[in-house]
Amino acid sequence: MNKQGDINYGRVAEAIRYIQQDFKTQPTLEEIAAKVHMSPYHFQRLFTDWVGVSPKKFLQYISLQYAKRMLSNGEPTLFDIAEQTGFSGTGRLHDLFVKIEGMTPGEYKNQGESLIIHYSYFHSLFGQVLIASTSKGICYMGFVDDNNDVFSELFQRFPKANFIEKMDELQQNALKIYRQDWNDLRQIKLHLKGTDFQLKVWEALLKIPMGNRITYGAIAKEIEKPKASRAVGTAIGSNPIAFLIPCHRVIQTTGSLGGYRWGTIRKTAMLGWETAQNDILDL
């Protein structure tokens, strides 16, 4: 992606924001296109090229009714979702390719004093992203709305580390996840600073198949802490790896998509894109 890709993402994100706000009125193609200052023809092409489906079909995927239908028979567990999907095709993407390694107690305690961290800015489907890596794996991935803010968050996680702005192979391999270029994808290793509880929650997130949603309560049951939904929510909110650790797939029991640290519009875009990709792959 290039600068034009960022502009296109911005237009699609703005269209999604408008659809969310006016969902009950079922806005027409012409009304949505007008909101992003494009002709209906060009907007239809842009939107369809970006997500693989029309704006109308995308609206069906991101509606709250879609999430509620998934929860209508009771709160699903990860086992239920795995059984429904058969963990076939892309459903096992994260389970197979992404592995978490927690930092040692010494690394955790000394705040990265002995670590050399490379970081670079990249373009992705969902906007500019900052990716950082140690010699052992990716340690941070966050979407950029303000370069200084996102780097400050990285720095706060490892205040004593040595930071070098440099692109490396670990970062480039992680980027392939956005392109679904998985034939040439080597295992992505994550080198994370977190408590035992946080690591368990993040590992549970990796088991959610692409295009599916699950609740905070289901994650709590998965890690055998059924009464810890609130603590699970806190751990999910502190996830340092956007998209690769798919915290965007966790929704509220009511069916509401809930919040997302990198923006609810971006979360909505991710969920709709993943659902559309699953449909395309199933054709």
Side-chain angles (χ1 to χ4, degrees):
M1 273 182 61
N2 49 28
K3 187 175 181 180
Q4 185 60 47
D6 286 343
I7 293 172
N8 289 344
Y9 167 74
R11 287 170 172 165
V12 172
E14 180 60 29
I16 292 170
R17 185 179 294 109
Y18 171 64
I19 291 170
Q20 283 186 311
Q21 292 172 349
D22 292 74
F23 171 76
K24 291 183 179 179
T25 68
Q26 291 294 292
T28 65
L29 173 64
E30 289 76 14
E31 290 171 331
I32 302 171
K35 285 292 182 181
V36 296
H37 309 291
M38 296 183 70
S39 70
Y41 172 77
H42 288 102
F43 174 70
Q44 175 89 354
R45 288 190 60 183
L46 169 65
F47 201 99
T48 303
D49 287 346
W50 191 78
V51 299
V53 294
S54 68
K56 182 177 180 179
K57 192 169 184 180
F58 187 85
L59 172 59
Q60 296 170 352
Y61 290 138
I62 67 172
S63 70
L64 297 183
Q65 294 305 313
Y66 178 85
K68 288 178 180 178
R69 284 198 298 272
M70 292 192 65
L71 300 170
S72 62
N73 295 322
E75 190 172 294
T77 65
L78 284 173
F79 177 79
D80 295 331
I81 289 181
E83 188 174 14
Q84 291 167 14
T85 63
F87 267 87
S88 59
T90 59
R92 292 198 65 193
L93 171 67
H94 290 91
D95 188 43
L96 290 172
F97 284 112
V98 183
K99 297 297 180 184
I100 291 176
E101 177 180 341
M103 293 194 174
T104 65
E107 290 171 329
Y108 188 103
K109 184 177 180 179
N110 66 21
Q111 300 180 313
E113 186 173 3
S114 60
L115 290 176
I116 296 176
I117 296 179
H118 295 163
Y119 69 96
S120 295
Y121 295 93
F122 299 91
H123 293 284
S124 77
L125 276 176
F126 308 108
Q128 193 177 35
V129 64
L130 170 65
I131 306 180
S133 56
T134 70
S135 61
K136 295 181 180 179
I138 302 297
C139 64
Y140 181 84
M141 180 183 292
F143 289 104
V144 179
D145 293 313
D146 182 315
N147 285 9
N148 292 327
D149 284 350
V150 74
F151 182 80
S152 293
E153 182 177 335
L154 171 62
F155 178 80
Q156 288 169 10
R157 289 180 177 274
F158 307 99
K160 295 184 180 180
N162 294 312
F163 292 95
I164 301 173
E165 187 167 3
K166 177 182 178 181
M167 182 189 304
D168 62 29
E169 189 175 356
L170 290 167
Q171 298 163 9
Q172 291 176 312
N173 189 45
L175 276 178
K176 293 178 181 178
I177 214 85
Y178 294 102
R179 300 195 298 267
Q180 291 192 319
D181 186 12
W182 301 330
N183 290 329
D184 188 40
L185 184 67
R186 292 179 294 281
Q187 185 182 83
I188 298 173
K189 293 183 179 180
L190 308 180
H191 188 206
L192 302 185
K193 178 185 177 183
T195 65
D196 289 342
F197 182 82
Q198 287 174 324
L199 292 173
K200 286 181 180 179
V201 171
W202 299 339
E203 286 172 347
L205 294 176
L206 295 177
K207 299 178 183 178
I208 308 172
M210 189 177 81
N212 286 267
R213 289 87 161 140
I214 200 166
T215 65
Y216 297 96
I219 295 293
K221 291 177 182 177
E222 172 69 17
I223 65 170
E224 300 181 345
K225 300 286 185 181
K227 297 181 179 180
S229 293
R230 181 167 296 186
V232 163
T234 300
I236 289 173
S238 63
N239 168 31
I241 308 289
F243 197 76
L244 282 177
I245 297 181
C247 56
H248 61 280
R249 297 176 189 161
V250 182
I251 64 174
Q252 297 176 353
T253 305
T254 60
S256 172
L257 294 183
Y260 185 57
R261 63 181 299 180
W262 290 289
T264 54
I265 293 298
R266 186 172 275 118
K267 177 176 183 175
T268 304
M270 288 177 177
L271 291 173
W273 179 81
E274 288 183 336
T275 305
Q277 295 305 307
N278 272 359
D279 274 12
I280 292 169
L281 292 169
D282 287 341
L283 293 177

